[in-house]
Structures are given as structure tokens and as C-alpha cells.
Amino acid sequence: MTTVLALKEGKPYPRGAYFDGKGVNFALFSDHATNVTLCLFDQHGDAETERITLKECTNGVWHGYVEGLQPGQVYGYRVDGIWAPADGLRFNHNKLLLDPYARKLSGQLQWNDALYGYTISDDPDADLHMDERDSARFMPKAVVVNPDILVKSAKPDIRWPKTIIYEAHVRGLTMQHPLIPDDIRGTFAALSDSAMISHLQRIGITAIELMPVHAFVHDRHLQERQLSNYWGYNTLAYFAPEPAYLSSGALEEIAKTVDTLHEAGIEVILDVVYNHTCEGNHLGPTLCWKGIDNLSYYRELPGNPRYYDNLTGCGNALNTSHPKVMQMIMDSLRLWASVYGIDGFRFDLALTLGRNENGFNRDHALFHAMLQDPVLTRCKLIAEPWDVGPGGFQLGSFPPGFSEWNGDYRDVTREFWTGQEGMLSSFASRFAASSDLFNEQHRRPWSSVNFITAHDGFTLHDLVSYNDKHNEANGEDNQDGANDNHSWNGGEEGETDQQEILELRARQKRNFLATLFMSQGIPMLLAGDELNNSQQGNNNTYCQDNELGWINWHQADDGLIDFVGELAQLRKHHSAISRAEFVTGKLNEQGNSDIAWFNVNGESMSNEQWNDPQNKAMTVKFVPPDKTGCAILVILNASHVTVPARLPYCDTYDWALMLDTTLNPIPNQEADELILEPRSVYIYEGKLIRQEKL
């Protein structure tokens, strides 16, 4: 194939394909390549029309400028180099490779043996033998786009203390929403539909955290079982959106959705997967990074570069210590924040991002790069503080500037409300923003992102309806997913028509929700939990792109939806809960401490009561940091019996019951004495009296 387009020297940065109004600059990093060929295709990506050798290489970046090319041009790469898999070198010119900086994709990946750099066989050394088939016809291709900033509205810039996060799946959230038009369901456009916006405002969330939206691959073994990589934690392109999430096919759809959410006062956070890619282990396909520069992009096993250091459990791990890989991650984050207006990022398996040859390092250069970046420092940064490598649980170990998913909060809170003994002290620590984990180096309470449920695990409905997981639909003999869920079905496994059990489950849901919203730290609500959404006991719907994995809007409980909205409003309007400093128990000038713990008799908790394994009830008082705000009193009874109780004596606040979880109308309670129903929460608002003392 001959070259007819004129090639100029071009520049090594920006990487990717950059249109300047007259032509396109192409730049691809490969430190170990001997030759890089730019392959141009027709508008459909079917026919290869040109091959252009990029002759210039600066600091490991191969580059060239092609005058006259326009946005919409479809392209890919072929990269030459040494084929020596035992040494970690997997160059194969026969394989068309996706640009790691691709902004938009054309076509879908079609599984075929030609996608593999080696010839598939039963030979245990099969990966050492090069496959010479051309993979272009089975590969998605990159598309040149305009480099415009697409978002137009100002960001809401919601302060961390007032943040309430709603974790959702772009597709699953709207696929069954009865008021959203069929032709946009499951896409970004559906997220900005007025019906969706109204619901998000009704429940009071301030940020929607979207599960991965980067273009991803559906695993071959899943498609062969008529399943899919529904969750999307299998990234193919860090700069391009998943095409299936665009109803219009235009990138502007994302920005328009973000603009609409911003105008409604809702921030957008993306769940991003920079810890591994879709290329799997040494037996995985060659789609992008593996064929471009395997030794640079991935972590190999020390002393045996044929194999990957599988810190993620997904076959490989990106080498975030390499400066060009770090640059790729930073460029991706800045693009999503600036071009699309994204407000924050949740980093999947963030522990892997901070690993070097000595293990996890909270001072890793990638973290420093994020925390000093003028764009990212204005974003909310949330780490998932674990992976499957050595020392793979590091909750509380990330540097100041990162918040963290608090898995301990989830587990302890579940254990407390299922009635386990001896939980009071550990529950109190988690309820008060886990200061034992986060209160150092001037970190704030929002370092703890609290959650009861998340995409990975039971929904709230299933948490109170199933003792065991039921993942048979995944085709893995129920071996996948967590076994220890700290759940309780209330007396019967799965759905039931027994009214007593149904009432208990309804109360337990409200107990979990009330606890979540009244805790110090940042609450994260799983989308659908306010709707009684069930996954039929499946705690790992990663492969269920169907009604099992989608949220069921038809079972919505208006009472539960309103209860969540009331909790959100309480949180937003009371600085005693949504505070910027950790509670310490120190007295203020009115003689009240910012937090105080009481037994059910209204007396300060003693050490003996804290350590009593049978004690499952207590009262906590939060006093606001300002002198004129309202205090909040939360009474919790996790026992299965009725408990007589008294409000703590206080001559500073006049208490009024605001919410309870008993499903009964709120009584006109004037007296200090009350009866706590089994497994219940009561929330009181305290208005200041004796104003003359202020």
C-alpha cells in the first residue's frame, strides 16, 4: 500500500490525534518500538486506505503531521519491534492497534483468534509463537475529533460537607424508567431527561457517581455464555466514551447532560479504571498497549517479564510509575474534567495506582501529580483503598486530598443492625467519620465516604431479604461474589408474603438509611435503594445487562423515596451533621461538646456500657459548630426488644422529633420519656433556648 498524503515532522505533544484546523498531528509513545505505521481507513473503518510511516521519534514518542486530514478521519496503528514474549516484548506488525489517546471509536470489537498476538493452541507455550493474521477487520478504530471544550455551564462547586453521592450505572439507571423515551433509555441523554432530574432532586442528592463510562470490552468468555461486561470495568480507551451510552453518537451528548445536571445543582463524578486494562494476562488479546509497548505500559513479574504482576485480579496492572503512563492518566483525567466538565473521580482499585517495586506508597508520584494539578485540585478525588496484591487493604492510608470508600463503615454498620453483639464501640467510631482512620495531617471528615451498599454486593432490599447470595444466573455455579455479606433476611429467604417479616425489612431499610445520612462523613446511596430495587439475591451482577441488573422503577415505594428526601434535607440544613471538622468531644463556650454519647437512660455512657456485648442501644448528640444552629439527637436501638428510654437532660436545646423509622406516624411527643421500638432510629432536632447566654 503506497502513501499519497504528505507527511510533515509534526510534534511529540499533545499525544493522540490533534486537529489544528488545517491538518492532524499524530503522536504515539513507544519506547521499545523500531517502527510505527499510521493506518488510515474509510469513514466506516472497513477499508484501509493509507499506510504512513511515522519517521520522527522524540523521547520515545513517534510523531508526524498530515496536512489536509479532517475530524472524522478513522485510523489505527501498526507497531514494529522485537517479538520476544519471554522478555516482555510482544510487537506484532500484523495487529492493528487502537490509539491509547483515541477520543472516539468507530465500530465494535468482534472476537476472533486474529486479535491475539500469538497463535491460540493447547500448547502451554502458545503465547511464545507469533500469529501472523491481520486483525484490522475485527478491531474498533479511533476517530479524529475537534479538540473543543464542550461543556458550557458553570460547575455547581458543592462543598464537600454538603455532598450526598448517588452511585449509578448509565444504562441500568434508566433502562426501565417508564417516563423516559424508549429511544434514549440507557444513555447519557436519559440522565438529563426531566423525569430523571426530578427524581434526583426529590431524593436530595448533590452528586451522581457514574460507573465506568470509558469505552470497554465485553469479555469473550462472557459473550460466549450470552452475557456481557455490564459494569464496564474492562477499559479499552481512557479518552473515549463507551459508544453504547451515546444515543446520538455525538460526544456533545455527554457535555449537554453534564450541563443539564449542573444547572439542576448536581455534580458528576466518574468511576475510572486506571489500574488495569481489557488486554488481560499473557494469554489475552493484543488490542492496544500490549502491542504498542508492553514493557512500558504494564507491570511485569519481577525477573519474569513474560507474565504480568496481577495486582488487580484482572490479569494485568498498569505501570503507573512510568512517566509516560502517568502522563496518559493525567491527560485523561484533565480531558474529562475540562472538555466534559466532570466534577470528580472515583479511582477503582486505587491501591494499585500507588504501588511501586516496594509495595503501596501514599507518596507515589501519580498522587502528587493529581494533588498539584490546577485542574484536578478543583475536583473531588475518591480512592477505593484496596486491591488483591500484598497488603491489599489500606483504608485510611491515602494522602490528604483524597477521600476513601470506607469498607469498614459498611461492614460494621451491617453487623450493628443485624444484631451482632459487642458492636457499640466500633459502630460509634464509624458513625463519627472514622476519625481513628482519617483524623491526621489535617484531613477532614469527608475523607470517609460512607456506604451501606454499592454496585458490588447486595442492594439494600436484598441485604434485608437474603442470608446468602444467589448468583446462579452468572453461570459460575454461585462461586463468584462475596460470601460474607453481613446480611439478614428477617426470617425467610427471599421474597415473602408474611406481613411481620415485610414490616421488619421495611424498618431495617430505614434504619440503614437513617444511619447513613446521620453519620459524620459523606453518604453514598446506591441507585435504586430508594426504590426497593432487588437483584433477586445476586450480589455480583457484573455480567447482567438485563432486567436483573437494571433498576426496577415499577416497584418504587413513594414512602421510601420521600423518607430518603427528608433525610437528605435534614443533612443539608444542619451543620451539626454536615460539618467540616471532626468531632472531638470538647466543650464549647455554652458547655456543650460537639458530640456526646448517652445510654438509653439519658446518662453519659460509661466504659462498662461501651464494652457490654449485650448493649445495642444508645443516643448520640451532635452540636453545630456555629452558635445559633440546631443540634441533632439520634437514638438507635438495634436490639430485638422494646427499650424504655429518656432524652438526655439539656437546658440549652428544646427537642422535637423529626423522623423515625418505625413506620408509625410521628407522635406529638412532649415528654422526655419514650419507648424505643425494636430495631428503630429516632432523630430529634434541638432548637436553642436561653438565647441570653450566647
Side-chain angles (χ1 to χ4, degrees):
M1 189 175 295
T2 60
T3 299
V4 296
L5 293 173
L7 176 69
K8 295 183 179 180
E9 177 181 347
K11 301 177 181 179
Y13 195 84
R15 280 156 66 189
Y18 183 80
F19 175 68
D20 64 1
K22 297 180 180 180
V24 180
N25 189 82
F26 294 90
L28 178 77
F29 166 72
S30 181
D31 205 25
H32 296 88
T34 57
N35 189 63
V36 171
T37 302
L38 170 67
C39 303
L40 303 183
F41 290 80
D42 64 14
Q43 63 177 338
H44 302 295
D46 296 329
E48 192 171 350
T49 59
E50 299 283 343
R51 287 192 182 183
I52 303 172
T53 299
L54 300 183
K55 300 177 182 179
E56 302 293 333
C57 183
T58 303
N59 300 325
V61 178
W62 299 77
H63 54 92
Y65 180 86
V66 184
E67 191 168 359
L69 288 187
Q70 298 289 316
Q73 176 64 56
V74 180
Y75 71 99
Y77 288 105
R78 297 180 188 273
V79 180
D80 285 299
I82 298 173
W83 172 263
D87 298 322
L89 297 167
R90 296 181 178 272
F91 294 104
N92 186 336
H93 185 81
N94 302 289
K95 308 305 171 184
L96 186 77
L97 304 172
L98 187 69
D99 183 356
Y101 276 67
R103 292 273 300 274
K104 186 178 181 181
L105 302 189
S106 172
Q108 296 180 341
L109 185 139
Q110 303 173 50
W111 283 110
N112 187 279
D113 287 355
L115 291 170
Y116 297 77
Y118 66 97
T119 302
I120 296 178
S121 72
D122 294 332
D123 184 350
D125 291 326
D127 68 298
L128 302 180
H129 307 295
M130 178 185 285
D131 183 274
E132 297 183 356
R133 286 172 290 185
D134 193 317
S135 65
R137 60 179 293 199
F138 308 108
M139 277 290 297
K141 285 83 176 177
V143 181
V144 177
V145 303
N146 268 310
D148 300 337
I149 301 296
L150 300 178
V151 71
K152 296 186 171 55
S153 68
K155 294 186 177 186
D157 195 23
I158 296 168
R159 296 175 56 244
W160 259 122
K162 300 298 181 182
T163 297
I164 301 172
I165 298 173
Y166 187 73
E167 191 200 21
H169 189 285
V170 171
R171 182 167 168 82
L173 180 60
T174 60
M175 280 300 291
Q176 298 191 91
H177 197 300
L179 301 180
I180 293 178
D182 291 347
D183 60 337
I184 65 170
R185 290 184 186 180
T187 68
F188 275 97
L191 297 180
S192 59
D193 186 88
S194 58
M196 195 70 247
I197 297 291
S198 296
H199 178 77
L200 297 178
Q201 292 179 324
R202 179 181 177 185
I203 61 175
I205 64 103
T206 70
I208 183 168
E209 181 180 302
L210 299 176
M211 291 170 65
V213 303
H214 293 161
F216 59 88
V217 166
H218 295 285
D219 302 76
R220 190 175 190 176
H221 70 92
L222 289 175
Q223 289 199 330
E224 289 172 350
R225 303 205 314 264
Q226 306 301 309
L227 298 170
S228 68
N229 193 327
Y230 169 54
W231 284 353
Y233 291 93
N234 209 23
T235 306
L236 175 64
Y238 290 117
F239 295 77
E242 168 56 35
Y245 295 166
L246 300 176
S247 65
S248 63
L251 300 179
E252 288 79 4
E253 181 177 325
I254 304 173
K256 289 178 181 178
T257 295
V258 173
D259 278 338
T260 302
L261 288 164
H262 282 175
E263 290 165 2
I266 298 170
E267 295 182 322
V268 181
I269 298 170
L270 296 187
D271 190 341
V272 288
V273 190
Y274 297 112
N275 58 79
H276 76 281
T277 77
C278 64
E279 292 188 299
N281 62 15
H282 65 292
L283 297 177
T286 296
L287 310 175
C288 181
W289 308 271
K290 185 181 290 186
I292 292 172
D293 194 347
N294 187 63
L295 277 179
S296 294
Y297 279 107
Y298 291 114
R299 301 178 191 271
E300 285 78 25
L301 275 183
N304 194 353
R306 175 183 174 183
Y307 302 104
Y308 297 100
D309 191 2
N310 185 16
L311 300 165
T312 64
C314 300
N316 63 58
L318 277 178
N319 182 13
T320 56
S321 295
H322 192 289
K324 289 297 195 292
V325 179
M326 187 187 310
Q327 183 184 41
M328 179 187 71
I329 294 172
M330 293 295 296
D331 288 345
S332 170
L333 291 169
R334 279 191 295 262
L335 178 136
W336 287 95
S338 57
V339 172
Y340 297 110
I342 297 304
D343 304 277
F345 301 92
R346 179 264 188 188
F347 297 94
D348 181 65
L349 298 185
L351 209 65
T352 299
L353 305 184
R355 286 187 181 271
N356 55 31
E357 62 276 7
N358 298 316
F360 176 72
N361 179 12
R362 70 182 302 176
D363 292 321
H364 194 281
L366 178 59
F367 297 152
H368 284 302
M370 293 181 192
L371 294 172
Q372 64 78 41
D373 186 85
V375 174
L376 300 183
T377 50
R378 297 195 293 270
C379 294
K380 292 179 169 68
L381 305 177
I382 305 170
E384 183 183 41
W386 49 80
D387 65 12
V388 301
F393 188 78
Q394 295 287 336
L395 180 63
S397 298
F398 279 74
F402 282 88
S403 299
E404 302 178 34
W405 267 27
N406 192 338
D408 273 4
Y409 178 94
R410 171 200 59 205
D411 296 341
V412 168
T413 303
R414 290 184 178 190
E415 290 170 351
F416 176 76
W417 281 113
T418 53
Q420 292 197 32
E421 296 181 352
M423 296 302 303
L424 216 56
S425 181
S426 56
F427 172 78
S429 296
R430 302 296 155 254
F431 194 74
S434 300
S435 60
D436 57 323
L437 298 173
F438 298 111
N439 191 10
E440 62 172 356
Q441 291 189 290
H442 305 288
R443 296 185 78 177
R444 299 296 189 100
W446 56 80
S447 298
S448 177
V449 174
N450 303 326
F451 61 102
I452 306 296
T453 56
H455 68 272
D456 189 2
F458 280 146
T459 66
L460 183 62
H461 177 85
D462 291 355
L463 182 67
V464 302
S465 303
Y466 294 89
N467 286 350
D468 305 302
K469 65 182 182 182
H470 297 269
N471 297 358
E472 289 80 7
N474 296 353
E476 300 176 40
D477 296 323
N478 206 32
Q479 298 300 305
D480 62 302
N483 293 315
D484 189 6
N485 296 284
H486 309 292
S487 61
W488 179 47
N489 63 24
E492 183 176 337
E493 187 74 352
E495 300 304 318
T496 182
D497 56 4
Q498 294 190 44
Q499 191 61 31
E500 183 178 350
I501 294 177
L502 292 173
E503 291 178 358
L504 171 60
R505 291 177 179 177
R507 183 178 298 189
Q508 284 287 73
K509 291 177 192 176
R510 284 165 168 76
N511 290 337
F512 281 120
L513 291 167
T515 302
L516 178 65
F517 279 82
M518 292 299 103
S519 296
Q520 301 290 301
I522 301 302
M524 186 184 78
L525 178 70
L526 174 63
D529 278 354
E530 78 280 15
L531 304 170
N532 285 325
N533 184 57
S534 174
Q535 293 171 174
Q536 300 175 28
N538 190 316
N539 72 353
N540 190 32
T541 57
Y542 77 101
C543 57
Q544 300 294 336
D545 187 6
N546 48 49
E547 292 184 357
L548 184 63
W550 303 337
I551 289 174
N552 184 354
W553 289 83
H554 303 287
Q555 300 297 321
D557 178 349
D558 282 337
L560 190 60
I561 294 171
D562 290 338
F563 183 74
V564 170
E566 291 170 343
L567 287 170
Q569 293 308 313
L570 269 174
R571 183 175 185 87
K572 289 179 183 178
H573 295 152
H574 289 84
S575 60
I577 309 166
S578 55
R579 62 200 312 133
E581 303 288 347
F582 282 101
V583 289
T584 63
K586 294 181 179 178
L587 297 178
N588 62 17
E589 56 190 76
Q590 285 82 45
N592 287 299
S593 59
D594 51 13
I595 187 172
W597 304 91
F598 304 93
N599 61 29
V600 292
N601 295 320
E603 304 162 340
S604 295
M605 288 278 288
S606 66
N607 289 333
E608 182 178 330
Q609 290 165 334
W610 277 119
N611 296 317
D612 181 358
Q614 302 299 322
N615 192 6
K616 300 179 183 179
M618 64 179 173
T619 297
V620 57
K621 181 178 72 174
F622 293 118
V623 171
D626 54 285
K627 295 181 180 180
T628 58
C630 294
I632 292 292
L633 198 70
V634 182
I635 307 175
L636 310 103
N637 177 23
S639 70
H640 66 282
V641 297
T642 298
V643 177
R646 292 183 60 88
L647 296 181
Y649 172 76
C650 182
D651 60 359
T652 308
Y653 294 99
D654 185 21
W655 300 108
L657 183 62
M658 303 298 292
L659 281 177
D660 66 41
T661 63
T662 64
L663 303 180
N664 296 318
I666 295 176
N668 183 15
Q669 182 78 37
E670 297 288 345
D672 290 341
E673 297 185 3
L674 62 152
I675 299 295
L676 306 181
E677 295 293 329
R679 298 189 175 87
S680 57
V681 177
Y682 302 79
I683 303 170
Y684 287 79
E685 178 187 72
K687 294 184 178 180
L688 274 170
I689 55 178
R690 300 177 65 183
Q691 295 283 340
E692 70 279 4
K693 287 195 173 184
L694 298 180

